[in-house]
Every structure is written in C-alpha cells, then in structure tokens.
Amino acid sequence: MLKSNVFSKKTRNNKIKKEVREVYLRDDIWCGVSSCTTCDSPAASAAARLTASTILVVDTNVVLHQIDLLENPAIDDVVVLSVVLDEVKNKNLSVYNRIRALCSNSLRKFYVFANKFHKDTHVEKMEKESPNDLNDRAIRVATQWYQKHLGDATRVLLVTNDRENKRKATEEGIFAETIESYVKSLGQPDLLDLVVQPASVDVNMEDIEDSRPSKRKVIYEEHKPMSEITSGLRHGIYHQGKLRVNRYNPFEAYVGSESIGDEIIIYGRTNMNRAFDGDIVAVELLPQEQWHEEKSLSIADEEEEEEDVHLAPSSADDAPRSTTPVNAADQIPVPSRPSGRVVGIIKRNWHSYCGSLEPMPMPAGSGSIAYALFVSKDRRIPKIRIQTRQLGNLLNKRIVVTVDSWDRQSRYPFGHYVRVIGDIGDRDTESEMVLIENDIDARPFTAQVLACLPPLPWSVSSEDLANPIRLDLRQIRVFSVDPPGCKDIDDALHCTALPNGNYEVGVHIADVTNFVHPGSPLDDEASKRGTSVYLVERRIDMLPKPLTEDICSLRADVERLAFSVIWEMTPEAEIISTRFSKSVIKSCAALSYVEAQARMDDSRLMDPLTTDLRNMNSLAKVMRQRRIERGALTLASAEVKFQIDTETHDPLDIGMYQIREANQMIEEFMLAANVSVAAQILKIFPVCSLLRRHPSPTREMFEPLLLTAAAVGINLDVSSSKALADSLDCAVGDDPYFNKMIRILATRCMTQAVYFCSGDLSPPEFHHYGLAAPLYTHFTSPIRRYADVFVHRLLAASLGIFQLPTIFQDRPQLTSVADNLNYRHRNAQMAGRASVELHTLIYFRKRPTDTEARIVKIRSNGFIVFVPKFGIEGPVYLTSKGQKGGGEWYVDEQQQKIVKMDSSLSYSVLQTLRIHMEVVEPQPNRPKLQLTLI
Amino acid sequence: MEFVSPEGLRLDGRRPTEMRQLRAEIGVVSKADGSAMFEMGNTKVIAAVYGPREVQNRGQQTNNDHALVRCEYSMANFSTGDRVRKPKGDRRSIEISLVIRQTMEACIMTHLMPRSQIDIFVQVLQADGGTRSACINAATLALSDAGIPMCDLVTSCSAGYLNSTPLLDLNYIEDSAGGADVTVGILPTLDKVTLLQMDAKLSTNIFEDVMQLATEGCKAIANYIREVNPFILIAVYIWPSLKTF
Ligand SMILES: [Zn+2]
C-alpha cells in the first residue's frame, strides 16, 4: 500500500554537527511537458504545463532578479527546479512567494521539477565544491536530463547570467543564454525595460551620477559582513530591529530595540546607510556627544524636501514625530534619545513602489537608453534610479518600479521599471496608486470565493427558525441607525421597557459567521483583506457584495440572522444581567443619524419607536457620563465629508462631518457590547482571545502638546487619562473652537489602538487608555472587519454552540493574525486619508478659496496651519524657500512664536488667521495645494 | 516552514502517506533468548528479551498467576546529533519504558507463564524521529524470536499533521516542527488499538484522518514483520476462542 514506488536511499553527512538526513529518490517525478510520451501516467498528464518547442530552465539569480520579467506573460514554458526554489526561498521570501504564485497559476506555463528527489537528477556534493557550484551543477544536470528526456524535437535552454555557469553548460553541450540575449531574441523591445541590469555593468556612472570629474566617490559606509553582525549582536555592540522611516521626514528613522528598551533614532541618509523602511537592520549607537546632530545632518542632505499640504493627522501614527522643529542656533538641546547608524542590513524589505519620474529633459535620440530618477509617492522611500528606453512615454505617467541594488558609490538605489498605472493627475490612476501604495487588494473576488456564498435570493429558512440555538426575536421592535445611504448594516438595536421599571436593551450584530466558515476560500480571502476599505468615491469590501449588502446586512423589513447581546438595565444604566445568543430579527426601520436625531428632538412624536430612541438616548447619556468619570477621553479628530458627483465622481462639496447625539448614542451601546463580549470570551478562553488595547502614551509623546499648551498659558496634566480628561475640560479659550483644537492636538499625540492575542500579554497591558476600559474587543462590525468575525467565533465557542477551529490552538499563528489585522487596519486608514487628500486636491483645483486657519506649529521660516473646515494641514512660508529664516525672522521657543527681527510682526501658536488656498503647478503635471497668508 | 511542497513532496522526498524504509533482523544478540534490530529510516533500535525465567526479586511479583513483564529503555549517547551524556532513568526514559511495557503486556499471554518473569531491554542506537514506534516494533520481533506466546503482534507507527496535511511516520525534523504527533499501536489481526498517544491538540475530524493514516502504517509494518519472522507464535491460532472476546 505505501511504498508503491521504487526507492533508493542515500544518506548525506553534514560535517559541522553530525546530522544524518535521508533522501528518498524517486522515479515518479514527471517532466511536465504535455507532449512527453515517456512520462506515462494519469498523474503526469494532469500536472503537465509546458507546451512550446523551446523550454527554459532558469537559474536562481534569474528568478531573484528578473521576477518582474518572468511575471510578464511574454515569458512562458519555464521549468523551475526545486533547487532553485529552495535557494530563492532562503534569499528572498517575497520573490519566492511570487514565483510560487506563477507556478500555481493555471494560466501560466511554469512547472516545478523536484530535481533533488529524482533518481537521475539528484547530485551529491563533491569534495571542495562550494554550495553555489553544487547548485549550478545540479541545474546543469537537470537541464541535460530534460534535453535527453525530451529528445531533439525540443530545445531546452538554460537561462543564466553567471558567466562561469554558462561556459560550463556550453562545454557540456547544453544550450545556454543570458537573460538579455534571450529577451532580445523574442523581438519585443518593451520587454527589455523589465530586464534588470547588473549594477556593475554601469560603466558611464559618472555621466549620470554627478558631473564631477573625479572617480565615483564612496558615499556610504560598507555594510559589515553577516558573521561580524551576528557576533556584534550577541555582544550587545549592535542592536537589531526593524527600521521605520518617519513618514513626514524621510531623513529620520527609528529602530526599535529590545536590548536597550528604547528606540534608536537614525538621523540622515548617511547614517541610514542604504536601509529602506521595513528592513531589519543592525544598528550601532553613536557616541553620546553626537546625539543631537540632527539639524546639521538634515541640512547637509542635498535633497531637502519641503512639506506638502496634507490631511491633518488623527493620531501619533500619522503625525510627524520630530520633537525639535526649529533650527534656532542658540537652542538648548532637548534631552535627546540615543541615536545610531546602520552597520548592516539583515533582511531587506524591498518591494515595488509607485510614483513618477522626476521631470527631466528628453535625451536627443528617441528610443535610446536614458537614465531617470523615480520619485516614490511614499515619501519614506528614496529616489530610485532607473534605465529606460521609453522615457517620453513614462514622463507624465504614474509607474511602478522595483529596487534591485544599492551600492556604496551611488547616492540612490538602482531599480527597474515594472509597469504603467496611468496618467498623472487622472483620478482613477491616483486612486489606484492609493491602493497599491497601501497594499490593498481591490481585485474582484475569485470564482472559488463566490462559490462559498449561499444561493440567491436568500431568506431565513425554516431550519434556521427551528434551530434551538436561535432566539426568535422577530416580534421585538428592532431598528438600526447608520450614516445616510449605508448599505452594510452591521448593527441593530432594541430597547423595551420592562414591567419592573428596568429596560431590556439588545444589540444585534449581523451573523456573518453563519455564512463564513473557517478555512473556506471565502474565510481565507476575508482574513487576508482584514477590513473593508472606505475611499471617498468607492468602497472595497472585505466580503462579496451579496453578503455585505444583502444577506448579512440588517436591513429594514426583512428577516435576518443576528448574534445578539441582551442586557437588563436599570434606568440608571446599571447592567443587571447579560445574555448572548444567536437570533433571528426583523428590523422595523433603518434610520439615518439625522432621522433618528430629528425624531428624538420632535416633541410631538410619541410613537413607540421614538420612545425607544429616547429611552436609549437617556441610558446612553448615563453610560457616557460614567465612562467619562472613569477617565475616558473625549477625543477629537477632523473628519471630513465630501459630496461626490455621481456622474463624474468629482467632489462637489467638502466640509466637516457633524457628530450628533444620535451618533454618540449608537457608539455608546456598541462600546458596551464590545466590552461585554470581551469579558465573556476572555473568561472562557484566557489565552487565545483576540482583544484590542490602547497603550498609554508616554510623557514624551505629549511633549509637543505640552509645549503648545504652555505657550498659550494652559497647564495640562497628562499623568493619567482621567487627569488629562479633566484638564482638557478646563482648557477653555476665548472662542468655542479653542477647546476642540486642544483636543485634536491631544489626540494626535497618542498612538492607535491595536489588536492582540490575550496569551501574548499580561492583563494590565490589556488596558484601553482612550476608553479607560480594562478590556475591549471588536464585535460589532463583522461585515467590514475580520477581527469581529474572529471574535464572533470565540463568542459562539464560549457558549458551546460552535467548535473552535484549530487555529485558536496555535499561538504563533494567532499572533500573526492579530499582526495582519493591525497592518490591514492601518493601511485601510492610510488609504482612506490618501483618498481624502487626493479629492481635496481635485476639489481645490477649480476653486481657489480664502478661509480661516490656525497655527499649530512654528517653523524657522514660517508655520504649519490647520484648516478646520477642510481638515487639512500644511506649511505657510514667511520667507521664500531656501532662505531658512534669512535673518528676517526669529523663533521664540518658549512662547512658540515667530517674530520679525524689527518686532513689527509676530505669529504665535494657536493664533487664528486667514489664508488663501490654491492649487499650483510648480513643475508640469505635479499639482500641489499651496497655502499663503492673506 | 514548508514541510510538504505544493508538489506534494516532503523534505526527504517522500509523499505524505509514505513510510520511511524499513529494515529488520532477528537474532542479533546471541546471549539473549530473543532479539531484534529494527530500523525505520535512520531510526535504529535494538531489543533483547530474556525469559520467561524465574522471578528474580520476589518483591516485585504482585500477581502470582501471571508472568511479570519488565522493560528497560535507554538511549545510546551517540544516538542523537548532539552527543550529550544523558542520565539514565530520566523522566522520558521511565515514561517510554512504561509505555513499552504496558503495550507488550497487552499481547503477551502472561497467564500461560505464572511465577515467571520476562525482561525486555530496548536501546536506541540512532534517533531520527519515531523512536517509540521503532522500540515497540523491535520488542515485538524480539519477543517472537524468543518464542514467547502472544495473542497477536503489536506494531506501532506515528503520524503527524503539518501544513494542513496528515503525514505518515515523521522523521526528526518533522517531529520537531511542533505539530501534532500521534503514535498508534495496534494488534493487527485482532484489529484492536493498544496504544494511542498524542502531544498536541487536533480537531476530532482531523484527528480521525491522522489516526487512520497511522493505523494503516501499523498494518504495513505488521506485514513487513511477518515477512521477517514467519514463525511467530501467535496464541490466537492455538486458542481460537480468544478471538471472540
Ligand atoms: Zn517526460
């Protein structure tokens, strides 16, 4: 039964640690060529992929460097050897995933040949042979086997750029070519742009790099060899961590280090030493006396970037983090954090980036090779130098570019062009940029995923009603309140007065897990997407539309399945009992916030629904008051709302989103449901619950807020959330907006809340700072957040009505689920913000506007203003760019003021002024919003 | 980590339901009453059986009507890659000794040999995953070599669950991956399970698949053992009535 195949067995000894490993060599590994008659088995013909008369065998470096080319449909009929796959996997996991995706794509002809387990292609290490040579030989042996196996009718071509390997191959009678010569032979010149040029071939470096006549000078320090890094890390000389570049100042980066319990700041590209955002790096601390040299360094950097107008940050994660914004020479250095420099890169995080080419004159001859600088939309990424034969074509386009190498002599990394997205400034192109930049998959759902949906039209079945685990709540007066036009209604509520004077309050959440089963393609896809993404003009769903808008959505007047949290509450909103149950509901009304508010405010209305709303509202007010007394923060952020033309999708109007009492009422009950669910799941599953926490901000994070507050004579106490909440209440200025302004500034000092697995942290760390809650999770939006789907499963399992999937027993996997959810959540927010920024720009293109603004930060040559009406923030320059204060203005650090030398004029922080907003094009096709003082 | 490639091959070239190569030899220790060497891939185990003989320490005899079965398991210092000297009688050895003893007791017709004692010594010469199973298989062969009456053979095999795939007969690398590892021992003719150990959590339906796979492995090993020693004294042939219990 088991060993139907003939095996021969070989053992191989590893010298260092004696380790004996078996390899079973087989004769049932097929060649994958559909015309092959030797491989005669149903399994062989099922796996066959390759059809052409020329079959390519690629070596490891071709896969590693030319993956963009391989992904182009012009390249097909490729044999990928397992030895190549293993090596690629060791060197670059992301390329490995891409080549794997190619091999499993049924539309492409890529075939994996497990050469190391085939009896005729297995090779043993020879004495003194290096691993590289061994791999090269294995590739040649396999190529030769293919040629022999397929006969003369088929040409088996080894594609390698390794000169030595190619020479040996030719000697052994194997057809071998470099990737360039193979692509040239295809006769498609455009493909050549995709071919990555080895960096060492660039002979004309001086011409393109800089015009100095000297030889190419060394710009960056050499990276330390891996062995030195490893021992340095062990001895605590180096510190390992992920490099994160400041989104608003690409010359500043942070490396989190566990070993010293703090983050190390890296100032300037020289100290970053060619590291990219997301790279795992080894860092050496600089001597303490060099810890405050950030200013000199960032000025020395030649490509000083100016600040753009952008959406006002809503948390510390969005905000620029530099604590010393001023370049005053006589400034007292703030107590500085350790700073360091990168000595080596342990793992690269290179992927593709989108952006555009820096404007440049066209070269003389058309079609000749030109060098251009690519500027990524993501400001954390340095410019990338590429080589192209189609410069004229690319100059005004948004394009995707990949990084290939970065050597010590070049200021910028080298990369190559991958594809064009579209014209710069075109709304669709820019929207796609937002998606690519934030790693958001907006592709339609696959047939496999759609196959998991229940047949349409769907309705509650008699089995659902008969199911003993489901409460029949169809007779209860349930309703929903959402933003206008909301189609994915996650939540509905009810509030019934009980004879004993108490209230029964129910929160009913769409029963998504009734339709999304663990491990199904639908579930996998949803877990990968993690969240729905809301852009200004479109929504990218986490679940397919029929689920999102119909089957799960708790619409009015239809029966829907729900997962309910039902409390009995006293009129003082004390919870007497909590029940959880699956249910069937029939909502009687889907109200908008405005409608709900209008009903409550209209004293003539006395209908049951309005009474329910009023009862709920009074309960919510008590709950809210109690929460605030506990120390919950009333945070504020500038939410912007667009009115979009349905035809052109262009923004017609833009304004602040108004928060009503009705919003707060719904929010209060959602918070309560989440808290109740968090307590329930944690009680039953102490180590595998998915919770959400909000870390307490450190005093240092509040520093900018305190500085600003002190300048306007307000003393804030940030020792606890309660103290902060109280002192925020006292921070009242002359005008009503002042307090909100301070709250907005406070909010952006905090980081965002994050998901985590309860087994990974200790209970004190579960705390949610902003809500002042010891426990919190997400339960109430399963249609648009995967975390909630996860929590629904936990809750159902805690009630004994659902078996927990195996993933909950796997802690590392749970942690990675939580990490992915945080990543997706963050990206979705970034994308939402970027989309708002894009539409703000489109809106103001035709509408130069004068408006009111407030100074939020003082700079050496101007200040940053916040425009409350549009939620944006940007620089206003007092002196023209490059002058750096020019001696005309000086900054009063204490008072947070910028004062003209002759004291005739001054601007101080939080001051209100009027500005003019207009879209300008300092460079063709590079529009930007400009703010000027009126 | 990828333990099964998308092509369906494991790290050592096997497919998920394939066992490592088996090798066995009986009579390898001439002084013993019965002995056997058993190999599953690179896992190599030797077993020696002494007895039935007179009970040496009366104190140990708890039940006069049945033979006393004793088992001692040890691991050669050179059996694993890192040659650390392990103290004899550590917890793991004691546990495995107990498991082997209980498993063998279930098939030895101890009531036929009252007031006697049977000693089973098992030593691991090379460890590469599945040592427990290999020990049981070696002990079965050694007992049969000693001519000790048994109601059936006992054979054992493990199966695991990695990359969402049930895998038969885990080697050391697969075993150390931290996935579930199910060791099953069966009486193949009687079709009964005498040993079932698992050191992780699995959902019931997956567990059934994994256990089914391990059981098939046990049956294949039984066929192999019958080939190696066709003269196994199986009590069921002598007392067919036992088959009905
Ligand atoms: Zn073939």
Side-chain angles (χ1 to χ4, degrees):
Chain A
M1 59 132 240
L2 292 165
K3 290 204 277 180
S4 57
N5 307 297
V6 185
F7 290 143
S8 63
K9 192 176 96 178
K10 295 195 179 185
T11 53
R12 138 164 76 104
N13 292 344
N14 189 335
K15 283 276 152 55
I16 310 154
K17 179 186 168 189
K18 191 166 177 184
E19 206 172 87
V20 187
R21 284 192 195 167
E22 292 179 296
V23 180
Y24 289 88
L25 301 184
R26 334 183 50 103
D27 58 1
D28 64 345
I29 293 174
W30 322 115
C31 68
V33 177
S34 47
S35 59
C36 176
T37 48
T38 325
C39 298
D40 188 22
S41 129
S45 44
R49 277 281 170 75
L50 314 175
T51 51
S53 57
T54 298
I55 283 175
L56 308 180
V57 179
V58 288
D59 80 354
T60 311
N61 283 326
V62 168
V63 176
L64 280 174
H65 301 311
Q66 314 288 351
I67 184 74
D68 290 318
L69 177 71
L70 295 179
E71 280 173 349
N72 190 298
I75 308 289
D76 246 331
D77 290 294
V78 176
V79 172
V80 183
L81 302 175
S82 60
V83 58
V84 170
L85 276 176
D86 288 348
E87 222 180 336
V88 169
K89 190 175 179 186
N90 281 333
K91 291 196 169 140
N92 188 329
L93 203 58
S94 116
V95 172
Y96 174 77
N97 290 332
R98 287 165 72 185
I99 187 80
R100 268 293 179 196
L102 276 177
C103 297
S104 58
N105 183 345
S106 58
L107 301 172
R108 302 294 303 271
K109 298 181 203 163
F110 278 64
Y111 178 77
V112 178
F113 181 70
N115 65 311
K116 67 177 172 186
F117 298 126
H118 191 285
K119 63 181 175 55
D120 297 330
T121 57
H122 179 85
V123 293
E124 286 288 299
K125 186 177 181 301
M126 294 194 300
E127 215 165 310
K128 286 185 188 153
E129 192 176 36
S130 74
N132 265 334
D133 291 344
L134 174 70
N135 287 343
D136 285 346
R137 187 160 60 84
I139 293 169
R140 293 197 304 275
V141 167
T143 314
Q144 210 153 26
W145 177 86
Y146 257 94
Q147 187 68 74
K148 222 171 99 193
H149 180 79
L150 297 173
D152 291 340
T154 310
R155 191 168 77 115
V156 180
L157 180 66
L158 174 63
V159 181
T160 174
N161 276 11
D162 183 315
R163 205 170 297 162
E164 185 61 14
N165 195 19
K166 185 166 169 274
R167 184 185 61 79
K168 283 187 185 158
T170 315
E171 270 176 23
E172 291 162 15
I174 299 168
F175 298 112
E177 270 191 68
T178 63
I179 188 78
E180 293 82 12
S181 61
Y182 173 70
V183 170
K184 272 185 194 139
S185 74
L186 293 177
Q188 297 181 38
D190 278 3
L191 279 182
L192 278 169
D193 266 11
L194 291 172
V195 175
V196 178
Q197 306 294 331
S200 56
V201 197
D202 280 314
V203 278
N204 297 333
M205 236 33 248
E206 295 91 10
D207 307 346
I208 54 159
E209 183 70 23
D210 53 22
S211 48
R212 268 164 277 195
S214 62
K215 276 189 286 178
R216 293 178 64 198
K217 64 169 185 159
V218 170
I219 295 174
Y220 298 104
E221 291 234 3
E222 196 158 11
H223 288 152
K224 298 266 189 286
M226 208 50 217
S227 55
E228 210 172 300
I229 289 175
T230 327
S231 81
L233 287 173
R234 208 172 36 234
H235 293 106
I237 304 166
Y238 303 148
H239 306 275
Q240 178 176 341
K242 187 181 259 186
L243 184 97
R244 284 165 299 130
V245 177
N246 186 337
R247 208 172 269 276
Y248 295 92
N249 176 7
F251 305 108
E252 189 176 287
Y254 313 90
V255 174
S257 163
E258 280 177 35
S259 48
I260 60 168
D262 194 8
E263 23 181 44
I264 302 168
I265 308 188
I266 319 278
Y267 293 112
R269 287 260 159 83
T270 317
N271 283 335
M272 278 188 229
N273 197 358
R274 295 171 280 159
F276 268 58
D277 181 73
D279 286 355
I280 308 287
V281 296
V283 176
E284 181 184 47
L285 283 182
L286 291 172
Q288 195 146 1
E289 59 272 18
Q290 291 176 34
W291 282 8
H292 344 273
E293 59 176 339
E294 68 266 37
K295 279 147 291 171
S296 55
L297 266 168
S298 69
I299 291 167
D301 243 307
E302 282 163 34
E303 40 162 358
E304 174 81 20
E305 288 188 31
E306 57 186 291
E307 214 157 331
D308 276 335
V309 177
H310 54 82
L311 202 59
S314 58
S315 77
D317 305 322
D318 306 326
R321 297 184 47 184
S322 81
T323 47
T324 50
V326 192
N327 296 340
D330 56 347
Q331 185 196 334
I332 319 132
V334 284
S336 40
R337 288 183 282 176
S339 64
R341 62 185 189 94
V342 173
V343 293
I345 290 164
I346 296 162
K347 195 159 176 277
R348 278 288 187 195
N349 183 40
W350 280 346
H351 47 95
S352 29
Y353 305 97
C354 47
S356 47
L357 296 182
E358 199 163 79
M360 62 180 280
M362 282 294 292
S366 68
S368 61
I369 297 180
Y371 292 91
L373 270 182
F374 165 85
V375 184
S376 170
K377 187 83 191 302
D378 184 343
R379 296 182 55 189
R380 295 171 296 180
I381 307 303
K383 293 176 186 172
I384 300 166
R385 197 176 290 288
I386 67 160
Q387 214 186 72
T388 177
R389 288 164 189 77
Q390 37 176 339
L391 185 64
N393 202 359
L394 299 183
L395 263 182
N396 292 324
K397 297 278 197 302
R398 292 291 189 193
I399 61 172
V400 177
V401 156
T402 305
V403 189
D404 300 321
S405 63
W406 195 349
D407 61 38
R408 297 174 59 198
Q409 288 92 358
S410 36
R411 181 169 300 280
Y412 304 116
F414 283 91
H416 67 274
Y417 147 88
V418 180
R419 68 185 174 94
V420 169
I421 304 170
D423 289 332
I424 295 178
D426 173 61
R427 204 198 41 251
D428 293 341
T429 305
E430 300 295 340
S431 289
E432 201 189 330
M433 289 270 291
V434 168
L435 296 177
I436 298 175
E437 216 190 340
N438 291 291
D439 193 10
I440 291 167
D441 185 355
R443 281 175 297 184
F445 289 97
T446 61
Q448 268 176 313
V449 170
L450 295 174
C452 300
L453 300 183
L456 292 170
W458 178 89
S459 61
V460 173
S461 68
S462 50
E463 290 95 80
D464 289 328
L465 289 170
N467 193 334
I469 65 165
R470 263 186 211 287
L471 278 181
D472 187 349
L473 300 179
R474 287 177 295 169
Q475 303 312 318
I476 307 275
R477 195 165 49 246
V478 171
F479 57 88
S480 62
V481 185
D482 287 286
C486 176
K487 288 190 176 129
D488 47 344
I489 304 175
D490 288 293
D491 52 274
L493 305 107
H494 84 262
C495 177
T496 314
L498 297 175
N500 63 3
N502 289 342
Y503 293 100
E504 183 189 82
V505 181
V507 167
H508 312 280
I509 305 299
D511 191 6
V512 169
T513 52
N514 190 64
F515 305 98
V516 180
H517 302 291
S520 64
L522 176 61
D523 187 48
D524 290 346
E525 183 67 29
S527 111
K528 250 183 264 162
R529 295 191 179 210
T531 173
S532 292
V533 180
Y534 293 80
L535 303 184
V536 170
E537 82 290 11
R538 70 185 279 214
R539 186 185 75 207
I540 295 135
D541 290 331
M542 178 181 86
L543 296 169
K545 199 169 176 179
L547 282 179
T548 302
E549 293 189 356
D550 183 16
I551 300 172
C552 290
S553 181
L554 304 177
R555 297 184 296 135
D557 303 322
V558 285
E559 292 176 0
R560 284 292 175 258
L561 301 180
F563 207 160
S564 305
V565 180
I566 300 168
W567 301 285
E568 185 180 338
M569 282 186 186
T570 64
E572 291 74 43
E574 297 290 348
I575 294 173
I576 292 174
S577 69
T578 310
R579 274 193 298 159
F580 305 96
S581 176
K582 296 259 181 164
S583 59
V584 185
I585 60 163
K586 188 171 178 185
S587 167
C588 68
L591 305 172
S592 71
Y593 287 123
V594 184
E595 282 168 344
Q597 190 68 48
R599 271 173 179 263
M600 288 194 284
D601 293 347
D602 186 345
S603 53
R604 289 164 305 173
L605 286 178
M606 292 306 287
D607 60 292
L609 178 60
T610 308
T611 312
D612 288 353
L613 279 169
R614 287 190 191 124
N615 288 339
M616 285 199 99
N617 197 27
S618 60
L619 287 172
K621 279 182 180 164
V622 181
M623 289 157 77
R624 186 172 158 80
Q625 192 50 43
R626 199 176 305 139
R627 210 159 52 80
I628 289 171
E629 277 161 21
R630 260 202 333 261
L633 296 172
T634 319
L635 301 176
S637 58
E639 303 272 337
V640 187
K641 175 184 78 174
F642 280 91
Q643 195 187 337
I644 298 285
D645 186 323
T646 43
E647 293 273 303
T648 61
H649 293 288
D650 280 340
L652 293 176
D653 194 12
I654 167 174
M656 296 303 288
Y657 188 83
Q658 241 203 327
I659 308 254
R660 292 185 176 78
E661 222 172 40
N663 298 40
Q664 292 182 339
M665 171 182 97
I666 299 299
E667 188 184 89
E668 210 52 53
F669 284 101
M670 294 306 134
L671 290 179
N674 287 336
V675 168
S676 289
V677 169
Q680 164 74 9
I681 57 175
L682 189 71
K683 188 174 77 192
I684 309 290
F685 304 111
V687 295
C688 65
S689 286
L690 183 75
L691 301 177
R692 190 164 171 82
R693 71 191 190 102
H694 185 206
S696 305
T698 58
R699 197 188 161 79
E700 194 202 17
M701 292 160 74
F702 279 121
E703 216 58 65
L705 173 69
L706 295 175
L707 206 63
T708 306
V712 294
I714 286 173
N715 203 1
L716 292 177
D717 182 354
V718 296
S719 56
S720 72
S721 63
K722 172 73 179 149
L724 177 61
D726 291 344
S727 53
L728 280 175
D729 287 342
C730 301
V732 204
D734 320 331
D735 61 309
Y737 200 76
F738 181 82
N739 184 264
K740 181 158 188 199
M741 196 63 226
I742 292 282
R743 283 182 200 278
I744 288 176
L745 293 179
T747 311
R748 64 170 69 161
C749 291
M750 298 169 203
T751 54
Q752 294 191 328
V754 287
Y755 298 110
F756 68 100
C757 163
S758 60
D760 289 346
L761 291 171
S762 61
E765 294 167 295
F766 295 179
H767 191 75
H768 196 296
Y769 178 82
L771 298 174
L775 278 186
Y776 193 65
T777 192
H778 269 165
F779 169 74
T780 51
S781 299
I783 298 181
R784 57 186 180 85
R785 288 191 307 230
Y786 191 74
D788 305 56
V789 172
F790 225 69
V791 169
H792 273 230
R793 288 182 187 145
L794 280 162
L795 182 62
S798 80
L799 304 173
I801 56 175
F802 175 76
Q803 201 198 346
L804 219 48
T806 47
I807 178 177
F808 285 91
Q809 288 144 15
D810 188 346
R811 269 268 286 290
Q813 215 182 330
L814 273 186
T815 308
S816 76
V817 166
D819 286 348
N820 181 50
L821 290 176
N822 287 325
Y823 172 73
R824 295 295 169 191
H825 192 80
R826 175 108 204 91
N827 282 1
Q829 280 184 324
M830 293 302 300
R833 293 172 56 84
S835 175
V836 169
E837 277 169 14
L838 168 63
H839 284 81
T840 308
L841 188 72
I842 296 175
Y843 178 80
F844 284 109
R845 214 183 267 170
K846 291 179 205 138
R847 301 176 180 84
T849 310
D850 291 348
T851 187
E852 195 167 274
R854 275 178 183 262
I855 298 177
V856 290
K857 244 176 266 163
I858 301 290
R859 288 285 152 101
S860 59
N861 52 352
F863 39 78
I864 308 287
V865 295
F866 170 64
V867 185
K869 191 174 174 198
F870 306 114
I872 55 165
E873 191 176 280
V876 172
Y877 294 102
L878 291 173
T879 52
S880 59
K881 203 185 129 201
Q883 262 180 288
K884 295 288 170 212
E888 225 183 304
W889 296 85
Y890 73 93
V891 172
D892 180 344
E893 180 74 14
Q894 203 73 48
Q895 298 286 311
Q896 288 281 297
K897 260 184 185 171
I898 181 163
V899 187
K900 206 160 189 179
M901 278 303 177
D902 57 8
S903 305
S904 60
L905 207 52
S906 77
Y907 296 97
S908 55
V909 76
L910 292 185
Q911 184 181 337
T912 310
L913 32 81
R914 286 190 67 78
I915 53 151
H916 176 72
M917 304 171 65
E918 187 174 3
V919 174
V920 292
E921 281 195 26
Q923 285 172 326
N925 287 310
R926 306 293 191 277
K928 57 182 259 187
L929 195 56
Q930 196 179 54
L931 309 181
T932 46
L933 211 55
I934 301 179
Chain B
M1 170 111 183
E2 192 179 75
F3 289 94
V4 186
S5 73
E7 291 70 50
L9 293 173
R10 289 155 73 172
L11 295 173
D12 58 4
R14 285 183 289 157
R15 295 198 191 275
T17 59
E18 285 171 355
M19 207 183 301
R20 288 175 288 174
Q21 195 172 61
L22 299 177
R23 274 189 52 212
E25 203 180 320
I26 46 176
V28 290
V29 181
S30 50
K31 274 190 183 163
D33 297 313
S35 61
M37 187 277 303
F38 198 88
E39 277 181 49
M40 301 171 82
N42 275 333
T43 295
K44 187 170 188 170
V45 168
I46 194 161
V49 169
Y50 294 89
R53 55 184 176 179
E54 208 178 330
V55 177
Q56 283 167 340
N57 180 357
R58 289 277 165 202
Q60 286 181 334
Q61 185 90 15
T62 50
N63 186 343
N64 265 323
D65 308 339
H66 292 267
L68 172 71
V69 177
R70 301 201 321 169
C71 178
E72 194 179 306
Y73 162 94
S74 61
M75 225 166 153
N77 284 328
F78 50 81
S79 62
T80 53
D82 40 337
R83 250 166 289 167
V84 208
R85 191 169 286 275
K86 292 190 187 82
K88 215 175 176 181
D90 61 314
R91 263 178 50 192
R92 187 171 176 275
S93 307
I94 294 172
E95 189 252 342
I96 297 184
S97 303
L98 190 73
V99 167
I100 300 173
R101 200 195 81 210
Q102 287 174 343
T103 312
M104 301 328 287
E105 260 179 347
C107 71
I108 298 173
M109 315 281 304
T110 50
H111 64 283
L112 297 178
M113 298 161 276
R115 288 173 301 281
S116 64
Q117 141 175 358
I118 298 164
D119 291 288
I120 307 169
F121 295 92
V122 193
Q123 188 169 39
V124 176
L125 301 178
Q126 263 174 217
D128 186 20
T131 47
R132 224 165 267 240
S133 294
C135 287
I136 290 170
N137 297 331
T140 294
L141 260 177
L143 285 170
S144 72
D145 185 38
I148 289 175
M150 293 185 279
C151 64
D152 195 350
L153 293 167
V154 201
T155 59
S156 171
C157 189
S158 71
Y161 189 72
L162 288 171
N163 300 154
S164 309
T165 318
L167 299 179
L168 184 63
D169 187 20
L170 303 185
N171 67 23
Y172 180 73
I173 299 172
E174 294 167 331
D175 196 24
S176 348
D181 178 13
V182 180
T183 300
V184 176
I186 63 159
L187 304 177
T189 320
L190 298 174
D191 205 11
K192 284 193 184 310
V193 173
T194 62
L195 169 69
L196 179 57
Q197 284 191 309
M198 176 161 78
D199 56 3
K201 289 181 186 170
L202 279 183
S203 72
T204 36
N205 47 349
I206 294 172
F207 168 74
E208 273 166 28
D209 291 349
V210 174
M211 172 153 174
Q212 176 63 30
L213 184 62
T215 311
E216 276 174 43
C218 292
K219 289 179 181 162
I221 289 173
N223 290 338
Y224 178 72
I225 285 182
R226 289 192 188 105
E227 256 174 55
V228 174
N229 187 4
F231 309 107
I232 300 178
L233 190 58
I234 297 286
V236 276
Y237 299 126
I238 312 171
W239 291 279
S241 62
L242 272 176
K243 220 177 174 177
T244 59
F245 70 77

